[in-house]
Amino acid sequence: MAERTPVIAGNWKMHRDHLEAIQLVQKLAYHLEAADYEGQEVVVCPSFVCLRSIQTLIQSDRLPLALGAQNCHPEDEGAFTGEVSPPMLQRLDVTYVIAGHSERRALFGESDEIVNAKVAAILRHGMRPILCVGETKEEREAGTAVDVVVSQLRGSLAGIDIALDNAEEVVVAYEPVWAIGTGLTATPEDAQEMCAAVRTELASLYDQAISDRIRVQYGGSVKPGNVKTLMGQPDIDGALVGGASLSSEDFALIVGHRRD
Ligand code: 13P
């Protein structure tokens, strides 16, 4: 099985202005040790208006952090008032872009088709998508969770070419909707089962070697107290952290979960 480099990303959602964002990253950098960055990637995903400030901070302080955006429009440019394009993000040294977060699917009507166009655009501009998939509470209770996630994966990756040498650039985040911001977390066993199902589907869409290289994150109430067991699962290669990433102490504990 391929060795995968875990990726831990903080999704700040619509929190923190650019001044608060600078402070948060400075504090995070203060709490992290050099060893915390070794063998894993650490990503912060602030709002669009903070990207330039955080890009500058990362550069000037030479921080080993990657910058992520929370969304993008699939087109390169055009009459799309209020939207931000992939080339604009790429110019800001953005490495990761979240696509199809459940909040965008539920609140802003993003279909698999739209998410698919975004994933294609992100890859076309040399950035890495964090493709979010996940079932609702009702879907889990109805026993259709795996079907829902597999169908989101198929729809969002339709026609997307992933080769062995760029498979590491694709990240899938399994985020059960019922676990987001609720304090409820999937058990490590349930999270593992779904991430393994994601990998099986990726193997059938591409092939086993490619699937073995794609990173699969878990997201949904990841905290300092549960990160270790989640990350210890064989098919979980990282975490997409919401609420806890807004605290520099908590996010540093999550990133530093390998310390003892
Ligand atoms: P919470 O960690 O706040 O549950 O949010 C998860 C999430 O949606 C990250 O994208």
Side-chain angles (χ1 to χ4, degrees):
M1 206 213 285
E3 276 297 303
R4 295 180 293 266
T5 305
V7 51
I8 300 185
N11 171 12
W12 300 358
K13 309 191 179 182
M14 200 174 72
H15 297 286
R16 304 294 182 263
D17 62 33
H18 75 288
L19 296 173
E20 295 164 335
I22 290 170
Q23 262 201 351
L24 182 47
V25 171
Q26 281 172 332
K27 285 188 186 164
L28 175 66
Y30 171 80
H31 289 301
L32 289 176
E33 298 169 2
D36 294 331
Y37 299 103
E38 276 166 28
Q40 66 179 3
E41 289 180 68
V42 186
V43 187
V44 287
C45 306
S47 77
F48 288 137
V49 297
C50 303
L51 288 173
R52 176 63 175 153
S53 307
I54 302 303
Q55 176 206 21
T56 307
L57 176 61
I58 287 175
Q59 261 178 12
S60 62
D61 289 9
R62 295 196 169 82
L63 302 177
L65 288 171
L67 190 55
Q70 299 174 16
N71 183 31
C72 68
H73 191 277
E75 300 293 328
D76 288 5
E77 61 177 351
F80 302 107
T81 302
E83 292 294 304
V84 173
S85 76
M88 293 171 185
L89 297 176
Q90 197 255 332
R91 290 280 284 157
L92 286 164
D93 296 333
V94 164
T95 304
Y96 287 92
V97 186
I98 298 172
H101 190 281
S102 63
E103 286 151 17
R104 296 215 55 89
R105 292 177 187 262
L107 303 172
F108 301 98
E110 285 192 13
S111 61
D112 286 336
E113 248 179 318
I114 294 172
V115 177
N116 179 238
K118 292 185 181 195
V119 170
I122 294 162
L123 286 167
R124 193 166 63 245
H125 291 283
M127 298 178 291
R128 302 172 169 199
I130 298 180
L131 165 62
C132 299
V133 293
E135 82 286 358
T136 62
K137 183 166 173 276
E138 293 70 31
E139 289 161 343
R140 176 150 287 262
E141 284 169 358
T144 57
V146 172
D147 293 346
V148 167
V149 166
V150 162
S151 143
Q152 287 173 336
L153 265 183
R154 282 191 196 145
S156 309
L157 290 173
I160 305 263
D161 191 33
I162 304 178
L164 197 54
D165 58 3
N166 75 342
E168 278 168 41
E169 286 158 28
V170 177
V171 177
V172 175
Y174 166 54
E175 296 208 303
V177 177
W178 49 269
I180 294 177
T182 57
L184 301 172
T185 319
T187 63
E189 295 74 25
D190 284 352
Q192 160 58 26
E193 197 179 305
M194 187 63 88
C195 291
V198 165
R199 208 174 296 288
T200 302
E201 181 58 24
L202 291 171
S204 92
L205 288 173
Y206 300 97
D207 66 33
Q208 191 61 50
I210 291 172
S211 167
D212 281 343
R213 284 208 183 168
I214 294 176
R215 273 89 59 84
V216 182
Q217 295 176 313
Y218 168 79
S221 299
V222 174
K223 306 281 180 226
N226 59 25
V227 65
K228 212 171 179 143
T229 41
L230 287 163
M231 295 279 290
Q233 304 302 313
D235 284 294
I236 299 182
D237 313 309
L240 187 53
V241 185
S245 70
L246 295 171
S247 152
S248 56
E249 288 88 351
D250 281 356
F251 194 54
L253 287 170
I254 289 170
V255 172
H257 71 278
R258 299 169 303 176
R259 293 183 205 167
D260 252 332

